[in-house]
Amino acid sequence: MSALLLYSLQKYNAKSTRVNGRSGTYTTTLLENPLASSEILGSLAYSQNSFLSFGGRINYDYKGKYIFSGALRQDGSSRFGPNNRFALFPSLSGAWRISEENFMQPLKNVLNELKLRASYGETGNANIGDFTWSNNIIDRDYVFGSQKSYGSAQSGFANYNLTWEKNRQTDLGLEAGFMDDKYSISVDYYTRHTEGMLFQKDLPSIIGYATSFRTNLGRLSNRGFEISGKANFKLGEVKWTVDANLSANRTRVDDLGGPGSLPAQSAIFGWDNVFQVKVGDPLGLMRGYEVQGIFKNTQDLGKYPQWVTGNKVGDWIIKDQNNDGVINEADMAVIGRGFPDFVYGLSSSFQYKNFDVSLIVQGVQGVNVINGNIRHQFGVHNVNTSPTYYNNMFDSQQPDRGVEYPAPLASGVTPLNNLTNKAVSDASFLRIRNLTLGYRLPQSLLKSINMQTVRFYVTGQNLLTFTKYNWYNPETSVTSDSVYAVLRPGVDQGTYPANRVFIFGINVGF
């Protein structure tokens, strides 16, 4: 048996100052330097937080067959309201090494390791920024008579009870090793329940100075599995190792603290109401309009349902999802998913005499990306566009030509003002992340030059990506913020492509 006690304290402080000059008071209009203003204003911004943790752990091992571990930690963060800054997070785990039992000894040469394990643990999330529980003070101007005065006002709504978002996870696993671990496999199934999620909640308009506030609400469920396997092959001087893994995760919104959904969020500017968290739905659903064709003539205008304010020849024909004979926001449907069905990876190393090769491959399957890069190219008639749109848009001179996109001055649902399935792409991909080739000088030569090791190598990163996505990078997100990355996954707008890198090097040991 062993025990461990931990104590940790972290503090962060940052300050910034700003000098402003009121517009119109500069002594020169050539260079608007704040110091050239006769009315100079200063402002101070600061950020600080602190984390305090206490923890302990106990481990117990009985004859290498039964293994138990228990941990308890208490964490506190200044990012939460003064009423609820501390929370307790316990965890328990246990394992049974079945392969060590007497009845398994006859199979020891074939099945050398068989372990059944289970665990339960709780963790907390405090990734919400500083002072989000409080009502801040911001600059606001006011007019007394005919004189403009500088002042301040409240911003936000205080929540003194804001506390940790808690995750409770249960895991069941099985490990097996065969032929002295020449082959091994590990299988895990888990469920995770998140309670008290750190979201914004709407406020009644009577508040006046704030429309929402940060609070704990709802419950989210995750379940999934992970499979990994490893194989070691040896044939003479050839050594080959293969390590592969596959995982899948499914989410479901169980509760939102009362309402059936949260306010819908845009994918990018102009494509509104795309993402919405709803009770009973998974996260990451992309909602938009399904294009069925183009109004090519006046007969089509009388044949298909139109936008609520009407359509004209050259507009998109939108699917009437609820069959009410008119197209409006009620006809938005799920047209994509921002989280994949599963992800997988493979790493392999090969060695023959003094030569070695290593390979890392990554893949994602069953995921969509919203291509926000095309919004202006496909939606505005007076800016540069791409051949994809220019050669594939409705032309009144050739109305019967089969095209995908409407006329430049289209009305109703257009590429500029609404998300459609035309902007949602399959973003599944297989990428060669890393490939390295190496060669070591033989020992006979190293001895003659008094060297321990000399290895030459060449490495390629992001060498190839196999995907149907026709923009720069299928592995993308419009935001790196952890909360909004979950609420608005799979949005590409100006994402930089993955760099292809080549490295030539030499490792020398004396």
Side-chain angles (χ1 to χ4, degrees), residues 377-378 384-393 401 405 471:
Q377 291 195 5
F378 289 173
N384 289 335
T385 188
S386 65
T388 303
Y389 178 54
Y390 182 78
N391 297 322
N392 202 17
M393 66 179 180
R401 188 167 61 104
Y405 299 99
W471 213 257

Side-chain angles (χ1 to χ4, degrees), residues 1-62:
M1 177 183 291
S2 62
L4 177 68
L5 296 177
L6 297 171
Y7 166 81
S8 175
L9 175 63
Q10 299 179 11
K11 289 187 176 182
Y12 171 82
N13 287 278
K15 291 184 179 181
S16 63
T17 58
R18 184 177 63 182
V19 177
N20 301 319
R22 187 164 67 86
S23 180
T25 64
Y26 297 97
T27 57
T28 174
T29 58
L30 181 62
L31 179 62
E32 291 193 350
N33 189 317
L35 298 180
S37 171
S38 59
E39 295 186 31
I40 298 176
L41 299 174
S43 63
L44 170 68
Y46 68 94
S47 181
Q48 63 181 17
N49 62 67
S50 59
F51 287 85
L52 179 63
S53 299
F54 302 93
R57 184 179 65 199
I58 296 178
N59 297 323
Y60 179 74
D61 186 338
Y62 179 72

Side-chain angles (χ1 to χ4, degrees), residues 193-324:
H193 299 281
T194 303
E195 297 182 353
M197 295 180 288
L198 296 165
F199 283 148
Q200 295 290 124
K201 188 173 183 179
D202 288 343
L203 287 168
S205 57
I206 195 174
I207 297 297
Y209 63 88
T211 58
S212 64
F213 74 113
R214 179 81 71 173
T215 188
N216 301 96
L217 58 84
R219 184 172 63 254
L220 175 70
S221 297
N222 285 266
R223 58 184 177 85
F225 67 87
E226 299 176 356
I227 301 175
S228 62
K230 188 174 184 179
N232 296 285
F233 304 97
K234 186 175 182 180
L235 182 62
E237 295 186 76
V238 176
K239 296 179 181 179
W240 183 26
T241 300
V242 179
D243 196 337
N245 62 80
L246 182 146
S247 64
N249 183 74
R250 300 291 182 269
T251 64
R252 186 185 66 195
V253 180
D254 297 322
D255 179 61
L256 289 173
S261 63
L262 295 180
Q265 298 192 30
S266 63
I268 61 172
F269 177 75
W271 290 353
D272 299 327
N273 303 322
V274 172
F275 294 101
Q276 188 169 30
V277 179
K278 291 185 176 182
V279 174
D281 282 356
L283 295 175
L285 296 183
M286 302 167 178
R287 291 178 170 86
Y289 296 94
E290 186 177 344
V291 176
Q292 291 188 305
I294 291 179
F295 292 105
K296 295 183 178 181
N297 48 55
T298 54
Q299 288 76 19
D300 286 345
L301 290 173
K303 183 179 178 180
Y304 298 100
Q306 296 186 28
W307 184 249
V308 63
T309 57
N311 281 113
K312 60 185 180 182
V313 175
D315 291 351
W316 262 331
I317 299 173
I318 302 300
K319 184 176 181 180
D320 186 7
Q321 300 286 351
N322 57 6
N323 296 314
D324 64 353

Side-chain angles (χ1 to χ4, degrees), residues 325-342:
V326 65
I327 305 300
N328 52 30
E329 288 191 1
D331 295 300
M332 296 181 71
V334 175
I335 57 176
R337 300 175 182 273
F339 291 109
D341 291 337
F342 60 89

